[in-house]
Amino acid sequence: MKIQTVGFIGLGLIGGSLAKAIKMYHPDVRILAYMRSQDTLREAVQEGTIDQACEAVDGKFSACDIIYLCAPVSTNARYLEALKAFLPETCLLTDVGSTKTDIHSKVRALGLTDRFIGGHPMAGSEKTGYENAKPHLIENAYYILTPGENVPSQTVEAFTAFTASLKAIPLVLDYRQHDFITACVSHLPHLIASSLVELVKDLDGPQELMKQIAAGGFKDITRIASSSPEMWEQICMTNSANILQALEHYQKQLEDFRQELLQKDSEGIHSFFAAARDYRNSIPDTSAGPLKKVYAFYCDMVDEAGGIATLATILASGGISLRNIGIIHNREFEEAVLRVELYDEDAYQKAVALLRKYRYTIYER
């Protein structure tokens, strides 16, 4: 699979970041793009991210070896029909949507199962738009690939290698498996975070003491509730069956726990929390307990030898002890690469100031 020309439909946060990553690691690849905002396209041309701005999805895209569909989930499916009219059989189609079943159904209906590989980069931010795009957004982040039934194995291997060349971590899954997994580990947690926020809003008194006290741990575990309502509406509409299955299981867990509370079942309550703690601690993740204040910030870092060691040395030179440090692989709701955790507020403030002095980009929560 020789990749000389790549097309983008949509050039927001994810599309823009992918285009920038391709230009960084494959500068000879020609990139053309279309989106409704011509101002954004002009900016992308001026910055050198893309080589050609298109005013429509038309025959210009027939020169592409790969086309990334980076518009909203419901819109991507509509572009497939337009593209089919003029695309050569050698052009690979992919998308970046958070759900996959709907678009795979459209691909099957259009007879494109031999040239479509769904994609879901597990990276992102509460911030949106091309202005927040950066070439290392997907660096060291999982990038799920869901090939159509008839895509040749060598094409899957080639696209997997190309994705890895952008410094992402590709994982090939069946699209149905992807949607069930993300319903459990991404979509339902967002629903829960939003419902917790609604709970506090509904039960808080006139003095809003819950809102005041909710800072810290509560904000940590409900941060994802700040994401785009439009995006989550589409996710719920396109993955409702899997979310309902996960939600029903979760409701049963809550009801079981409710019964343990009613019956003062100390042993059952202890077992519930112990099992959750043990499994949570087995997850390869640097995040700390959800109910206490976490002195952690997030930091941009390019994947290069000695990068983490350099940062740690800078902090050590300032007399700052690290509690934990780690790369964030699943960054669907984080815009940074590295999570740095300190022991207390004083160490946190010193570390942020010191790293900013060395021109690191720091994100505080």
Side-chain angles (χ1 to χ4, degrees), residues 40 47 70 124 230 247 264 267 290 311 318 324 336:
T40 299
E47 290 182 354
C70 304
E230 292 78 15
L247 181 58
K264 304 289 185 182
E267 184 178 341
L311 183 143
N324 216 329

Side-chain angles (χ1 to χ4, degrees), residues 43-234:
E43 180 184 349
V45 171
Q46 290 170 0
E47 290 182 354
T49 301
I50 66 174
D51 301 286
Q52 182 178 356
C54 301
E55 296 182 355
V57 178
D58 55 24
K60 296 184 186 72
F61 283 87
S62 64
C64 294
D65 301 297
I66 302 173
I67 295 176
Y68 286 86
L69 300 169
C70 304
V73 173
S74 61
T75 310
N76 282 337
R78 293 202 298 269
Y79 283 120
L80 284 171
E81 236 171 317
L83 289 166
K84 184 183 178 182
F86 50 77
L87 283 188
E89 292 182 3
T90 54
C91 179
L92 176 67
L93 295 165
T94 187
D95 77 323
V96 296
S98 299
T99 60
K100 297 265 96 57
T101 299
D102 268 26
I103 195 158
H104 272 276
S105 297
K106 185 69 172 179
V107 164
R108 195 177 300 109
L110 291 170
L112 296 171
T113 56
D114 61 338
R115 65 176 91 171
F116 180 82
I117 299 178
H120 179 195
M122 304 290 284
S125 167
E126 293 93 344
K127 298 173 183 176
T128 59
Y130 176 79
E131 62 273 17
N132 292 302
K134 49 194 176 183
H136 52 276
L137 186 77
I138 64 167
E139 201 171 89
N140 288 313
Y142 294 122
Y143 198 123
I144 312 300
L145 301 177
T146 61
E149 301 94 296
N150 300 314
V151 177
S153 59
Q154 61 266 33
T155 302
V156 176
E157 291 168 5
F159 188 56
T160 300
F162 183 70
T163 301
S165 76
L166 305 179
K167 306 298 183 181
I169 305 172
L171 293 175
V172 179
L173 299 176
D174 178 86
Y175 68 89
R176 290 160 290 230
Q177 184 184 23
H178 166 275
D179 280 3
F180 182 66
I181 289 171
T182 53
C184 295
V185 303
S186 176
H187 305 161
L188 182 62
H190 185 94
L191 188 157
I192 293 169
S194 298
S195 67
L196 285 173
V197 173
E198 287 290 306
L199 176 75
V200 169
K201 185 188 77 174
D202 291 345
L203 298 182
D204 209 356
Q207 292 178 294
E208 294 191 326
L209 292 176
M210 288 188 188
K211 186 176 183 180
Q212 179 181 342
I213 295 170
F218 184 84
K219 288 189 73 175
D220 287 340
I221 63 173
T222 59
R223 176 176 49 80
I224 56 176
S226 296
S227 299
S228 163
E230 292 78 15
M231 178 184 76
W232 282 98
E233 177 192 354
Q234 289 200 8

Side-chain angles (χ1 to χ4, degrees), residues 9-11 33-42 54-57 71-72 75 78-79:
I9 297 176
L11 207 65
Y34 164 79
M35 68 182 303
R36 286 182 297 176
S37 172
Q38 291 295 308
D39 289 341
T40 299
L41 291 177
R42 280 191 287 271
C54 301
E55 296 182 355
V57 178
T75 310
R78 293 202 298 269
Y79 283 120

